[in-house]
Amino acid sequence: MALSVLPFPLGPFPSLSLSSRLFDFCCLCLCLSVIPMAWMVYISLEIAIAVACCLGNVMVVWAVQMRRSLRQPTFCFVVSLAVADFLVGAVAVPLAVLVDGWVCTSFHVCLAVSCVVLVLTQASVLSLLAIAVDRYLRVRIPLRYKQMATQRRSWAAVALCWLVSCFLGFPPLFGWHNGSPGGAPSSANSTVIECTFLAVVSLPYMVYFNYFGCILLPLLAMTVLYALVFHNLRVRLRREPASPSVSAFAEPQGGSRAFYERERRLASSLALVLVLFAVCWMPLHIMNCALLFSRGGGPDDDDHDDGAVSQGAFYAGILLSHANSAVNPVVYALRIRKIREAYTEIWRQCFLCRHKRQRRRNSDVWQGGLPGSHETGSSPVPASAQASRL
């Protein structure tokens, strides 16, 4: 009777000994204990990435707002990228965990939640593209750039990037999706499904439209733009004589070597952000391609054999793509001196000054609690002297 708790009956396996059955039961228990542990590790990593995304990108926005020297058109797009990365940690990561079979919702609610993740990804790509265009114009036409790239135009370009991101991320809501389960589109709103990303978002949309059209083409364009930027800077630096007396923050007056050196350092830092974005996002999209082409590559192929890509590899790709949003603030701190100085100033204002104020408050309370102390600063009178006066 003690063995009746086994998940499989003992009777149908007469050829197996009791020790073999107990061994199988121990293996099964081990597997059941490993799966929750893997989920705990995954959720813990997602929470850590979300917290890092939120804190780091708030620091970026705060640094740009604090330093007037950072209020340049380029850093308007850096703020746009930081806002997108912040929303990845605050919105996309929780939704990604939620849209993984944890809840049962209607088909279109699950689809709308999945599209939010696509919009934020597209906003990051377009912000990176805007940064690359801005860097190219800054180097190609430095004298006209200051007249063209005003704060108002830069923020208008940021708004355009987010508007285009919505147009590129929400097409699944207007029909390009996997359809209602059971083949009844009219009941899609009322059908309750186990909400997972690939259950509602069309894999051909993710590969042909989102990856090839909305991510890969902008990445190629950005690669060409940065190649032109570095080529232009190399040519101009060869022509310009060394002029150490020119300020590194001055505008070019007929050409300035210090100006182009500074532009090369900034372009290298922003190009590194682009490289990290490609490295972090490419594995997930390549796995989507492998999954689609293993099914035949057709939009109407209903063979859902996921053997081409393991589930663990997918989760690793998701974690890597989310981690990209937490890496950018670290890159800014390591590569851009003004942002690093702003980080240090924020740290002093928020933590060191608060600690000093707390110490001063504790000191005032201690001094105010001394017996016989007054606002005039008179020293306390000993108790023996008070007794002698009486």
Side-chain angles (χ1 to χ4, degrees):
M1 294 300 295
L3 295 176
S4 61
V5 296
L6 290 174
F8 45 82
L10 293 175
F13 302 96
S15 60
L16 295 178
S17 63
L18 180 62
S19 60
S20 300
R21 297 172 192 174
L22 290 175
F23 177 76
D24 293 339
F25 173 69
C26 293
C27 292
L28 179 61
C29 292
L30 180 62
C31 293
L32 292 176
S33 64
V34 168
I35 292 175
M37 181 59 66
W39 269 106
M40 289 176 61
V41 172
Y42 172 73
I43 298 299
S44 300
L45 290 175
E46 287 282 35
I47 292 174
I49 289 171
V51 172
C53 289
C54 295
L55 294 180
N57 289 286
V58 165
M59 293 277 286
V60 173
V61 177
W62 195 349
V64 174
Q65 190 275 333
M66 175 184 296
R67 288 295 184 96
R68 294 183 61 88
S69 57
L70 292 176
R71 298 176 191 175
Q72 302 174 6
T74 300
F75 288 98
C76 293
F77 303 117
V78 171
V79 168
S80 175
L81 180 60
V83 170
D85 289 339
F86 171 81
L87 292 176
V88 167
V91 178
V93 171
L95 291 182
V97 174
L98 194 66
V99 183
D100 197 31
W102 286 87
V103 296
C104 293
T105 63
S106 67
F107 181 85
H108 280 284
V109 169
C110 183
L111 186 62
V113 169
S114 302
C115 288
V116 172
V117 181
L118 299 175
V119 170
L120 295 178
T121 304
Q122 199 59 48
S124 299
V125 173
L126 294 181
S127 297
L128 289 170
L129 180 60
I131 291 173
V133 172
D134 176 83
R135 289 295 88 197
Y136 175 75
L137 294 177
R138 175 75 166 171
V139 174
R140 187 70 178 85
I141 48 174
L143 297 178
R144 292 176 53 195
Y145 172 83
K146 191 174 181 179
Q147 300 176 353
M148 294 174 52
T150 62
Q151 286 284 334
R152 179 176 298 180
R153 290 178 178 175
S154 298
W155 288 117
V158 169
L160 181 62
C161 288
W162 281 88
L163 184 62
V164 174
S165 300
C166 293
F167 280 113
L168 297 178
F170 283 131
L173 286 177
F174 302 100
W176 200 348
H177 52 68
N178 285 336
S180 175
S186 61
S187 63
N189 291 326
S190 59
T191 302
V192 176
I193 65 169
E194 184 179 299
C195 187
T196 60
F197 186 85
L198 290 181
V200 292
V201 178
S202 172
L203 199 55
Y205 163 82
M206 286 298 300
V207 173
Y208 297 125
F209 184 81
N210 184 265
Y211 177 49
F212 290 161
C214 300
I215 292 182
L216 198 58
L217 286 181
L219 285 178
L220 293 176
M222 285 182 270
T223 302
V224 173
L225 286 172
Y226 276 111
L228 294 174
V229 166
F230 288 117
H231 174 73
N232 201 316
L233 287 172
R234 185 169 60 252
V235 171
R236 291 176 182 268
L237 286 171
R238 288 177 180 175
R239 294 177 182 176
E240 292 293 332
S243 53
S245 61
V246 180
S247 173
F249 303 102
E251 294 295 328
Q253 303 294 334
S256 168
R257 185 177 183 86
F259 168 79
Y260 292 118
E261 288 283 1
R262 180 173 66 91
E263 289 302 314
R264 184 173 63 178
R265 289 194 297 269
L266 182 57
S268 300
S269 303
L270 298 174
L272 177 60
V273 173
L274 172 64
V275 171
L276 290 175
F277 179 87
V279 169
C280 291
W281 278 95
M282 281 297 179
L284 184 60
H285 287 286
I286 291 174
M287 285 187 283
N288 284 335
C289 293
L291 185 60
L292 177 66
F293 297 147
S294 68
R295 298 177 181 179
D300 299 327
D301 193 350
D302 294 331
D303 182 18
H304 296 282
D305 183 15
D306 298 341
V309 181
S310 67
Q311 190 176 19
F314 258 116
Y315 285 138
I318 292 171
L319 285 171
L320 187 61
S321 65
H322 292 163
N324 175 249
S325 298
V327 168
N328 290 339
V330 179
V331 175
Y332 300 147
L334 295 177
R335 303 278 302 184
I336 302 177
R337 180 177 57 83
K338 291 183 180 181
I339 292 185
R340 182 169 61 250
E341 292 174 353
Y343 284 175
T344 305
E345 187 174 350
I346 292 171
W347 172 263
R348 289 173 180 172
Q349 289 183 0
C350 292
F351 299 99
L352 297 184
C353 292
R354 181 180 302 175
H355 181 64
K356 290 180 180 178
R357 286 196 300 267
Q358 184 64 32
R359 290 179 60 185
R360 188 180 299 113
R361 189 180 299 112
N362 294 337
S363 177
D364 294 340
V365 171
W366 181 80
Q367 291 178 0
L370 287 175
S373 61
H374 305 283
E375 293 180 359
T376 58
S378 60
S379 58
V381 180
S384 60
Q386 292 179 1
S388 63
R389 292 177 183 177
L390 293 176

